[in-house]
């Protein structure tokens, strides 16, 4: 049995993780949960799984049928991350945004293996996380369809023989629109992803292609491959989840339906591919697969991710914070869709971040300052 701690339990990844845990209830026991604002669903989850420790974002009355440890606020998430059992422990981070960073750090320090959906953690602090993983002797596996596919394609191979990692992108909601057609698009338009049903922030990140930029950074730190060898390609069908090209010309791909249960189960039960009834299958007959260039002129946010990697230091945190604030403003009707990339570009161009030392407390501090500054400047 593995003792699972799941934060962000009521979200898109969180609820699909619970499906996998239900299906493999002989392998997993939900010991800790972190719940955000959806208290109604949160309570249902708590009563079904009866975890020992619970964290809730805002203080409230729960009136539960049993007596678990209950904590509130961001510190509550850290209590769940630090909580120890005698068994093998797995921390599933399904939080969105930089709120996921410290819980990951605390969970690693508590010697928990990590299944990480919260890509922002690796975007802002990939190398710090890699050092912590080594120091604490734990494993980290990605819950992201592209990285799960790359992990699969690298299995049994020599890393030095890798020519390129090729990350596929559906193209997001506006893939068939020219830039000129993006003026005045609404959040309702932007939230209609053609292939995946996901949380609001990542759906907007997919429409701006910032998500693909984040995934390039995520891949760089997960697989320890130079970012000059990490390429992207548009693949509108979302069937090929990513590819690895080897020096001899062989390209390995991992295919499957667009169903996050599959990468979630792979991270939880790595390296197994046993039966997964909660996931949709895929029939190959009649499928056609298309690949097109993903243009940085059309999707500048993808270019900003490489820029942030190149600038180094704290700049990946600058990229993430500017994006997080801008997406929040767009989702609250304060700015236009095209303002998102403008805000990111402006922040990334500032030279003042160059001399800030790269460490965990500065990452958190600078992120907070950038977010509150942008929210103040563009909000009400
Ligand atoms: P979501 O918005 O559906 O869920 C996020 C959850 O985190 C929510 O339940 C929210 O209440 C909770 N949360 C946020 N801040 C919190 C806080 N401070 N305290 C407690 N709870 C808090 O988002 P999602 O789509 O599930 O995405 C989660 C992460 O997974 C993101 O980093 C995203 O980029 C990544 N991801 C998602 C998908 C997908 O298919 N949804 C795919 C790949 C990667
Ligand atoms: Mg992805």
């Amino acid at each position: 049995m593995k003792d699972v701690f799941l934060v962000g339990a009521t979200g898109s990844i969180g609820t699909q993780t619970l499906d996998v845990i239900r299906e493999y209830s002989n392998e997993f026991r939900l010991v800790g949960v972190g719940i955000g604002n959806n208290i109604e669903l949160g309570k249902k989850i708590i009563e079904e799984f009866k975890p020992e420790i619970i964290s809730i974002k805002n203080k409230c009355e729960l009136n539960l049928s049993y007596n678990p440890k209950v904590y509130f606020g961001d510190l509550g998430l850290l209590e769940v991350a630090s909580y120890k059992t005698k068994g093998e422990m797995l921390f599933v981070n399904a939080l969105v945004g930089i709120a996921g960073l410290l819980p990951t750090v605390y969970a690693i320090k508590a010697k928990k293996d990590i299944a990480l959906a919260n890509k922002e953690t690796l975007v802002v602090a990939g190398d710090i996380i890699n050092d912590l993983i080594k120091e604490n002797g734990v494993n980290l596996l990605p819950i992201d369809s592209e990285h799960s596919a790359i992990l699969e394609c690298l299995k049994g191979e020599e890393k030095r023989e890798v020519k390129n990692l090729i990350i596929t992108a559906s193209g997001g909601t506006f893939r068939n629109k020219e830039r000129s057609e993006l003026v005045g698009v609404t959040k309702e338009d932007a939230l209609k992803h053609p292939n995946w049903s996901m949380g609001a922030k990542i759906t907007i990140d997919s429409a701006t292609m910032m998500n693909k930029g984040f995934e390039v950074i995520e891949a760089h730190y997960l697989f320890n491959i130079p970012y000059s060898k990490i390429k992207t390609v548009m693949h509108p069908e979302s069937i090929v989840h990513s590819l690895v090209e080897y020096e001899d010309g062989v390209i390995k791909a991992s295919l499957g339906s667009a169903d996050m249960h599959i990468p979630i189960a792979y991270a939880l039960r790595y390296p197994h591919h046993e039966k997964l009834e909660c996931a949709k299958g895929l029939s190959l007959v009649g499928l056609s697969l298309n690949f097109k260039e993903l243009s940085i002129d059309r999707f500048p946010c993808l270019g900003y991710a490489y820029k942030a990697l190149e600038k180094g230091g704290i700049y990946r945190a600058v990229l993430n914070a500017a994006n997080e604030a801008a997406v929040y403003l767009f989702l609250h009707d304060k700015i236009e869709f095209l303002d998102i990339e403008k805000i990111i570009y402006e922040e990334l161009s500032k030279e003042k971040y160059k001399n800030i030392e790269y460490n965990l407390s500065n990452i958190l501090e600078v992120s907070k300052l950038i977010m509150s500054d942008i929210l103040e400047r563009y909000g009400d």
Side-chain angles (χ1 to χ4, degrees):
M1 278 305 251
K2 260 191 195 159
D3 291 338
V4 179
F5 300 77
L6 170 64
V7 292
T10 62
S12 162
I13 294 292
T15 50
Q16 294 180 84
T17 301
L18 292 171
D19 293 336
V20 174
I21 293 177
R22 278 189 199 97
E23 189 167 336
Y24 279 96
S25 59
N26 57 330
E27 290 181 19
F28 301 111
R29 191 169 75 101
L30 191 69
V31 173
V33 286
I35 307 284
N37 294 321
N38 191 346
I39 300 299
E40 203 181 308
L41 178 57
K43 262 190 81 166
K44 274 196 196 137
I45 294 168
I46 293 166
E47 288 295 352
E48 178 185 349
F49 292 92
K50 305 232 166 19
E52 291 171 21
I53 177 165
I54 293 163
S55 157
I56 311 270
K57 192 170 177 185
N58 298 308
K59 208 160 180 128
C60 62
E61 250 341 291
L62 284 174
N63 299 317
L64 298 173
S65 65
Y66 72 113
N67 240 339
K69 294 183 171 53
V70 181
Y71 298 91
F72 296 99
D74 288 346
L75 289 178
L77 287 172
L78 303 185
E79 293 285 349
V80 172
S82 315
Y83 189 79
K84 286 198 179 185
T85 62
K86 295 212 165 67
E88 218 181 304
M89 297 178 291
L90 174 69
F91 185 75
V92 184
N93 189 338
L95 296 169
V96 60
I98 197 167
L101 174 58
L102 269 190
T104 310
V105 169
Y106 276 60
I108 296 171
K109 288 187 173 168
K111 313 276 185 219
K112 294 184 172 85
D113 285 332
I114 309 290
L116 189 65
N118 181 258
K119 61 186 79 188
E120 294 88 348
T121 289
L122 288 182
V123 169
V124 303
D127 26 18
I128 295 173
I129 295 293
N130 280 343
D131 288 347
L132 281 170
I133 283 167
K134 248 189 243 146
E135 250 169 62
N136 290 279
V138 300
N139 299 308
L140 183 146
L141 288 169
I143 296 183
D144 207 341
S145 54
E146 296 76 4
H147 305 79
S148 194
I150 292 170
L151 190 66
E152 181 65 58
C153 297
L154 287 172
K155 212 191 269 177
E157 304 288 355
E158 298 273 346
K159 240 192 236 153
R160 63 184 173 85
E161 295 170 2
V162 170
K163 188 168 178 198
N164 289 304
L165 304 185
I166 306 169
I167 301 180
T168 53
S170 69
T173 319
F174 300 135
R175 63 191 180 194
N176 296 323
K177 287 193 190 298
E178 299 294 326
R179 286 184 68 73
S180 57
E181 297 174 273
L182 295 176
V183 177
V185 294
T186 64
K187 70 173 182 215
E188 287 76 19
D189 299 330
L191 285 172
K192 286 183 203 131
H193 195 285
N195 304 1
W196 297 92
S197 159
M198 311 182 284
K201 182 193 177 252
I202 184 175
T203 306
I204 303 302
D205 287 346
S206 300
T208 60
M209 213 48 75
M210 191 68 262
N211 182 52
K212 217 40 60 182
F214 285 166
E215 290 181 353
V216 168
I217 302 175
E218 193 185 356
H220 170 60
Y221 290 105
L222 273 172
F223 304 113
N224 193 19
I225 298 272
Y227 53 85
S228 58
K229 291 180 159 198
I230 305 179
K231 315 281 193 233
T232 57
V233 66
M234 190 177 320
H235 167 52
E237 292 84 9
S238 294
I239 297 286
V240 176
H241 295 303
S242 278
L243 314 93
V244 179
E245 180 181 10
Y246 289 91
E247 292 288 356
D248 63 355
V250 164
I251 300 180
K252 279 173 108 178
S254 169
L255 286 72
S257 60
D259 186 333
M260 286 305 292
H261 289 104
I262 299 171
I264 291 169
Y266 197 48
L268 265 63
R269 306 188 65 251
Y270 183 82
H272 297 293
H273 286 303
E274 278 154 294
K275 199 169 177 149
L276 194 61
E277 274 170 356
C278 60
K280 289 195 286 281
L282 175 70
S283 160
L284 290 176
V285 176
L287 277 184
S288 64
L289 304 175
N290 292 279
F291 299 93
K292 297 186 220 169
E293 191 203 344
L294 195 57
S295 148
I296 283 184
D297 294 333
R298 168 63 183 80
F299 296 109
C301 287
L302 178 61
Y304 300 160
Y306 285 96
K307 189 93 202 147
L309 280 163
E310 205 178 287
K311 289 183 94 144
I314 207 97
Y315 276 97
R316 286 175 287 116
V318 173
L319 174 82
N320 180 69
N323 179 63
E324 205 161 318
V327 171
Y328 177 90
L329 288 167
F330 176 66
L331 286 172
H332 288 79
D333 302 311
K334 302 289 184 200
I335 60 170
E336 294 281 322
F337 182 75
L338 285 171
D339 291 333
I340 300 175
E341 54 191 55
K342 203 179 91 198
I343 289 172
I344 300 170
Y345 177 77
E346 270 171 18
E347 213 57 45
L348 207 55
S349 305
K350 291 181 181 164
E351 289 302 309
K352 66 176 181 184
Y353 300 116
K354 219 169 48 193
N355 301 322
I356 298 176
E357 197 192 330
Y358 178 76
N359 60 40
L360 201 54
S361 66
N362 284 345
I363 288 172
L364 291 165
E365 177 84 13
V366 168
S367 298
K368 214 165 158 185
L369 284 174
I370 290 175
M371 286 197 260
S372 58
D373 173 55
I374 293 174
L375 293 185
E376 201 171 293
R377 276 193 289 135
Y378 293 87
D380 288 332

